Amino acid sequence: MITFLIILLAIILIAVVLFVSWFLSMKANGKCPLCAIKKLTIPRRITIDTSDANDYDNGVAKTPPMGWSSWNTFRNHIDQDLIMETANALVDSGLAEAGYQYVNLDDCWQSSMRDEDGKLQGDLKTFSRGIPALIKDINALGLKVGLYSSNGSLTCEDMPASLGNEVIDAKTIASWGCEFFKYDFCHNSVISGDCPAIEKIELNNLNETQYNSELTLNPEDAVLSGRAKIINLKELPSGKAIGYLNHGAGAAEFTVTTLPHGKYALTIVHQKTFRRRDSYAQVIVNGVMHEVFFPHGKGFSDSGRTQIVVELKDGENTIKISNPVVTVADSEYIQYSRMGRALKNASKQWAQFTQTEEKPIVYSICEWGTGMPWIWGRKAGNMWRTTHDIMPIWTSIVALYNFTLKHYQSAGPGAWNDPDMLEVGNGKLTEDENKSHFSLWCMLAAPLMLGNDIRKFVDGNNNPVEGNAALKIVTNKQLIAIDQDPLGKPAKLIKKVTGVDIIARPLLNGDVAVCLFNKSSSAKNIHLDLLDLVNDQYLLMRKANEYELHELWSDKRTTATAISTSLAKHSVQVYRIKTL
Ligand code: GLA
């Protein structure tokens, strides 16, 4: 017992000594230790204030995107023939006409080798015709093509990915005519919240050939906010620097009025310390954000120089330096937004260069809900996965639905919660379960990405297979119309009654869609008085003496003021309700 206590005491003592020495070294190097610790209490939440940021809004995905993705059925076994056969089958089966227009190549379309210019390229064997030719042929069928990469050094299947290559990869896929881009989260590196102490900044006009320092701004020249302050650092030539710029602690803002407009090299002279990762700052020049990574090594000298190119105008310019990263979610927001900007610029620039109409790229964020993207996703992209990967089993469908339902207020035209691609017709889901899965996704205003082998929906004469249950479900026009309703308001939970969820969403024409979902494993009788919906501020359903109830799976219409029905286990009924 005594030995145990001594060991425990020794461990606590070591931990305290380590913590105190870390704390003191942070302070000595001009870092705010308390700000760095904050991430431990709110690891998943974004701390960056996004309230002033505009929505992503690239003019597309005004209703949830619909199409097909290779992943759920084919995983890493995809090739150009399969993709072309699928595209043809989308047309022949009637799916394209029903609205499924994106043919999305998920992971494993890429070669492990970038080309001689550093660009991504299709697998040299399985996509030997090249991705551009494939896209052209699919476009000729009236369909659009999506591609996939990861916000990391490699994709989830360990193929080359786009973190650090955002601009070149966005330009490459835009030049191929890609119109949908899924950006995964495997092999991600989190941006450090650390920021070095800054001794001074220098500005040099890039048109001058003479070597001279046109303007040097010292710590005293900056207006410091938050906890940022001037600290003494003996090892630096001037002996002082601006510290406490790390982990959102504070910011330093310089004002420049004396330089003529033009492009300038901005050199940040900073303290060097050994770090595990590159440290980071955002330099905002007249509202334009530049990202700066400071190498994590120390080399021989204590002072380092890191440069970017900035644009100054005549008159007053502001240069603001800070590192806003506290949590992983902050890092994600910055990285996903970086790719979003690259995609927007790339499609615009390609259209200008080729004098053709712009093909904006639907931007699908796939970080599995880890950094609460329903909070910031609409500022960064068009849709965001809310959860980890779907599986073709009932518990997975219900879990993804349960979780996504809560975030109904985050979505709207151009910005959607994505509970993952459809598994209707896959695995061992029963017909009721398939109908429920599809209905729930439509109620959630989810993107509808089929995950089937579409070729099975077409017979030998290139006609839709008669009586194919999955095909029938995913082409239910009335349900698709709920999903695609232009008001874009997802369903919210109205009430739970003994294993049955009642969820509802308002529709553009004033109708309300109501779904009764029996989650339980036994049949249920259910009664819903429509007055319950009238009092809901989200649904804004008008009070009336009678309503038309249209049940969308049976296609039966009745007139009533209440729904009284029974539901088999795992089944749904979906009503479109019209005030008479
Ligand atoms: C992750 C994603 C999936 C799929 C695979 C591909 O798991 O969440 O949807 O894209 O990667 O490797």
Side-chain angles (χ1 to χ4, degrees):
M1 184 64 181
I2 296 223
T3 331
F4 173 73
L5 279 180
I6 292 175
I7 292 174
L8 190 69
L9 220 67
I11 292 173
I12 293 174
L13 203 70
I14 292 169
V16 170
V17 169
L18 285 176
F19 180 75
V20 170
S21 66
W22 169 81
F23 195 91
L24 293 177
S25 108
M26 285 285 279
K27 283 185 82 95
N29 286 305
K31 312 278 165 64
C32 168
L34 290 177
C35 308
I37 296 172
K38 228 162 68 188
K39 69 173 167 218
L40 300 178
T41 55
I42 42 164
R44 292 180 57 206
R45 192 170 266 285
I46 187 169
T47 69
I48 295 173
D49 179 10
T50 60
S51 51
D52 281 350
N54 292 329
D55 282 355
Y56 186 62
D57 193 9
N58 53 349
V60 283
K62 291 294 175 196
T63 61
M66 293 173 65
W68 169 85
S69 159
S70 56
W71 183 253
N72 284 0
T73 291
F74 297 102
R75 308 265 146 171
N76 58 338
H77 301 294
I78 56 171
D79 60 56
Q80 58 202 12
D81 295 343
L82 166 76
I83 300 296
M84 217 45 233
E85 285 161 18
T86 300
N88 280 308
L90 271 169
V91 175
D92 295 339
S93 59
L95 284 164
E97 209 193 317
Y100 297 91
Q101 49 171 332
Y102 291 96
V103 177
N104 291 348
L105 282 60
D106 206 279
D107 210 345
C108 301
W109 63 268
Q110 321 84 332
S111 166
S112 67
M113 194 181 82
R114 286 178 177 264
D115 75 6
E116 59 271 23
D117 299 321
K119 294 182 187 163
L120 290 172
Q121 57 185 342
D123 184 290
L124 299 172
K125 182 178 127 201
T126 49
F127 289 91
S128 56
R129 295 172 53 210
I131 303 293
L134 186 66
I135 293 185
K136 247 199 197 126
D137 289 353
I138 295 175
N139 286 165
L141 297 173
L143 300 171
K144 301 173 177 180
V145 176
L147 293 170
Y148 160 101
S149 186
S150 181
N151 183 2
S153 51
L154 295 168
T155 69
C156 297
E157 283 283 8
D158 312 311
M159 307 308 287
S162 302
L163 182 61
N165 290 304
E166 291 88 353
V167 172
I168 183 173
D169 290 355
K171 281 186 174 168
T172 305
I173 64 162
S175 75
W176 294 344
C178 166
E179 292 173 86
F180 184 103
F181 182 70
K182 172 171 166 184
Y183 203 33
D184 219 327
F185 198 48
C186 285
H187 299 285
N188 175 262
S189 316
V190 178
I191 301 173
S192 166
D194 199 5
C195 179
I198 290 170
E199 191 182 7
K200 59 185 173 183
I201 63 170
E202 295 168 347
L203 285 157
N204 288 80
N205 193 312
L206 287 176
N207 294 328
E208 299 283 334
T209 47
Q210 262 180 336
Y211 167 65
N212 65 345
S213 213
E214 282 189 50
L215 184 66
T216 300
L217 294 162
N218 294 305
E220 315 64 70
D221 298 322
V223 174
L224 304 179
S225 55
R227 294 176 186 223
K229 60 181 172 190
I230 299 177
I231 52 157
N232 294 322
L233 277 176
K234 280 198 298 305
E235 65 263 38
L236 295 182
S238 67
K240 57 186 178 342
I242 305 169
Y244 285 62
L245 298 173
N246 64 303
H247 295 95
E253 183 164 320
F254 297 91
T255 304
V256 178
T257 46
T258 53
L259 295 175
H261 75 271
K263 285 212 155 115
Y264 286 79
L266 170 66
T267 305
I268 303 175
V269 182
H270 57 90
Q271 184 203 20
K272 287 210 267 178
T273 46
F274 282 118
R275 291 276 145 204
R276 228 170 8 101
R277 282 176 288 156
D278 289 355
S279 44
Y280 176 78
Q282 291 189 347
V283 181
I284 301 174
V285 182
N286 300 328
V288 178
M289 196 263 281
H290 302 259
E291 294 187 272
V292 181
F293 288 89
F294 304 92
H296 56 272
K298 184 163 183 299
F300 295 112
S301 34
D302 295 309
S303 153
R305 293 156 48 246
T306 301
Q307 288 185 327
I308 53 171
V309 173
V310 302
E311 183 106 33
L312 296 188
K313 52 185 186 189
D314 293 321
E316 188 172 299
N317 295 274
T318 55
I319 301 174
K320 186 171 177 181
I321 306 176
S322 67
N323 181 348
V325 177
V326 179
T327 59
V328 174
D330 292 326
S331 166
E332 285 182 30
Y333 173 66
I334 293 169
Q335 292 168 333
Y336 277 99
S337 301
R338 188 192 300 152
M339 181 47 113
R341 277 194 304 278
L343 292 168
K344 262 189 185 170
N345 290 339
S347 63
K348 276 204 179 65
Q349 285 164 2
W350 186 250
Q352 271 161 16
F353 178 65
T354 53
Q355 302 279 298
T356 51
E357 203 184 320
E358 184 186 351
K359 285 178 157 187
I361 301 168
V362 173
Y363 180 28
S364 160
I365 294 170
C366 176
E367 54 74 273
W368 321 309
T370 51
M372 302 189 185
W374 43 90
I375 296 175
W376 50 265
R378 61 181 313 125
K379 314 276 177 172
N382 295 115
M383 52 193 263
W384 49 89
R385 278 274 296 278
T386 48
T387 62
H388 280 274
D389 292 10
I390 196 167
M391 287 180 284
I393 51 174
W394 182 242
T395 45
S396 165
I397 308 295
V398 177
L400 270 48
Y401 150 77
N402 280 339
F403 191 79
T404 307
L405 183 65
K406 291 184 279 198
H407 303 300
Y408 69 96
Q409 278 166 322
S410 310
W416 307 104
N417 286 314
D418 176 12
D420 207 355
M421 302 167 292
L422 294 163
E423 293 282 19
V424 177
N426 291 344
K428 292 199 170 83
L429 294 171
T430 64
E431 183 159 357
D432 272 344
E433 290 171 346
N434 278 322
K435 279 184 178 167
S436 295
H437 172 20
F438 191 68
S439 306
L440 295 172
W441 265 232
C442 291
M443 291 299 292
L444 294 170
L448 299 178
M449 292 296 164
L450 303 166
N452 317 72
D453 184 346
I454 301 292
R455 298 170 303 180
K456 295 191 176 150
F457 292 159
V458 177
D459 66 18
N461 300 319
N462 297 335
N463 290 318
V465 174
E466 280 284 319
N468 182 301
L471 181 60
K472 251 175 121 174
I473 291 171
V474 299
T475 49
N476 182 316
K477 283 206 173 89
Q478 306 287 355
L479 262 301
I480 292 176
I482 303 288
D483 181 73
Q484 296 291 303
D485 188 80
L487 191 60
K489 289 201 163 186
K492 69 174 255 198
L493 181 68
I494 302 299
K495 63 176 176 181
K496 282 178 186 280
V497 196
T498 58
V500 177
D501 275 10
I502 300 173
I503 61 173
R505 57 178 289 191
L507 304 172
L508 184 68
N509 70 349
D511 291 358
V512 169
V514 175
C515 173
L516 313 178
F517 171 36
N518 182 4
K519 287 171 161 176
S520 75
S521 355
S522 56
K524 296 280 175 199
N525 291 325
I526 181 101
H527 179 85
L528 172 70
D529 192 328
L530 295 183
L531 273 182
D532 287 357
L533 307 178
V534 169
N535 295 325
D536 190 283
Q537 282 307 303
Y538 185 66
L539 301 177
L540 294 176
M541 191 162 105
R542 273 196 299 117
K543 190 162 185 219
N545 292 332
E546 275 190 319
Y547 298 92
E548 182 195 88
L549 309 181
H550 181 192
E551 203 286 315
L552 304 180
W553 287 111
S554 59
D555 204 20
K556 283 201 183 118
R557 291 171 203 258
T558 49
T559 304
T561 52
I563 302 173
S564 270
T565 188
S566 57
L567 294 165
K569 75 166 197 178
H570 300 179
S571 78
V572 287
Q573 286 180 6
V574 184
Y575 293 85
R576 186 165 182 135
I577 302 180
K578 191 177 283 308
T579 310
L580 293 175

